[in-house]
Amino acid sequence: MGRGKFKGKPTGQRHFSHPDDLRAGTSSARPRSFKREEAEYEREKEEDEEVEEESGEESDGEEKKKKGNESLIEVENPNRAKPKTLKARDLDVGKTTELSRREREELEKQRAHERYMRLQEQGKTEQARKDLDRLALIRQQREEAAKKREEEKAAREAKKTEARK
């Protein structure tokens, strides 16, 4: 009897081979010829390591233990490239790192602001000239107002002294 379109449980679950099974050749998902190819690859890898040890060079750690099927398939993924670690003797002290566009723009903006503020303090910018003119006008008005107050005060004092006599 049919159950309809949908089944109650997932019946056909996927089965993934374990890397150990793949290396041992007991996995049913891989032909036996891979076992021979992997043995040759391992032999070549050991020979390369012996040659490096004989030459006295330290390995850069480029060939790390690969996960899953990476050991079988060589993949060039530019997003996975890890930066090489530099040793202290290899570092170039005089070399400056190049800034990103945003960092460069931020520095230019700060420098332009500092330059503008210096010119502002010296009174060389148009805005500074306007401010100084406005300030001079305000000072002049205040001086005139102070003189006027003093004259009025003197006039009141003179009136008081005349009224007392």
Side-chain angles (χ1 to χ4, degrees):
M1 183 154 190
R3 288 194 255 172
K5 189 174 180 182
F6 300 105
K7 298 176 184 173
K9 298 180 189 174
T11 56
Q13 295 182 346
R14 293 181 179 179
H15 176 72
F16 295 99
S17 301
H18 195 271
D20 295 334
D21 295 338
L22 291 174
R23 282 190 212 99
T26 57
S27 173
S28 61
R30 174 176 102 158
R32 294 176 193 255
S33 62
F34 283 142
K35 188 174 184 181
R36 277 183 265 131
E37 290 174 9
E38 189 170 309
E40 291 174 11
Y41 175 75
E42 292 292 329
R43 241 182 279 120
E44 290 174 6
K45 189 175 173 184
E46 289 174 6
E47 290 173 5
D48 290 341
E49 288 175 0
E50 290 175 7
V51 169
E52 283 184 12
E53 290 175 5
E54 290 174 4
S55 63
E57 295 179 1
E58 295 178 11
S59 66
D60 294 339
E62 283 184 24
E63 291 192 31
K64 296 179 180 175
K65 185 175 180 183
K66 296 181 178 180
K67 298 177 183 175
N69 291 339
E70 288 181 9
S71 61
L72 301 175
I73 303 170
E74 289 295 321
V75 179
E76 289 294 323
N77 185 350
N79 296 329
R80 264 189 119 163
K82 300 214 163 106
K84 293 183 180 179
T85 55
L86 295 175
K87 296 181 181 175
R89 66 173 181 243
D90 296 337
L91 285 176
D92 187 10
V93 178
K95 182 181 175 185
T96 59
T97 57
E98 200 157 316
L99 300 173
S100 68
R101 179 184 57 83
R102 287 183 181 173
E103 292 171 339
R104 204 174 333 112
E105 288 175 356
E106 186 68 28
L107 278 175
E108 289 173 4
K109 187 177 177 183
Q110 287 176 354
R111 288 179 183 147
H113 182 69
E114 290 171 4
R115 190 177 327 113
Y116 180 78
M117 293 308 287
R118 258 188 265 117
L119 291 173
Q120 183 88 356
E121 288 172 4
Q122 295 170 0
K124 293 183 178 178
T125 62
E126 190 174 322
Q127 185 179 358
R129 286 189 204 111
K130 288 179 182 177
D131 290 343
L132 291 173
D133 292 342
R134 207 177 303 122
L135 186 62
L137 183 65
I138 291 171
R139 282 183 182 156
Q140 184 182 4
Q141 290 172 350
R142 286 181 180 169
E143 287 175 8
E144 290 173 1
K147 285 180 185 177
K148 190 175 180 182
R149 279 195 300 266
E150 286 179 23
E151 289 174 4
E152 288 175 0
K153 192 176 183 182
R156 274 192 241 128
E157 291 291 324
K159 263 188 177 178
K160 282 185 182 179
T161 55
E162 287 178 18
R164 289 185 187 167
K165 289 185 181 177

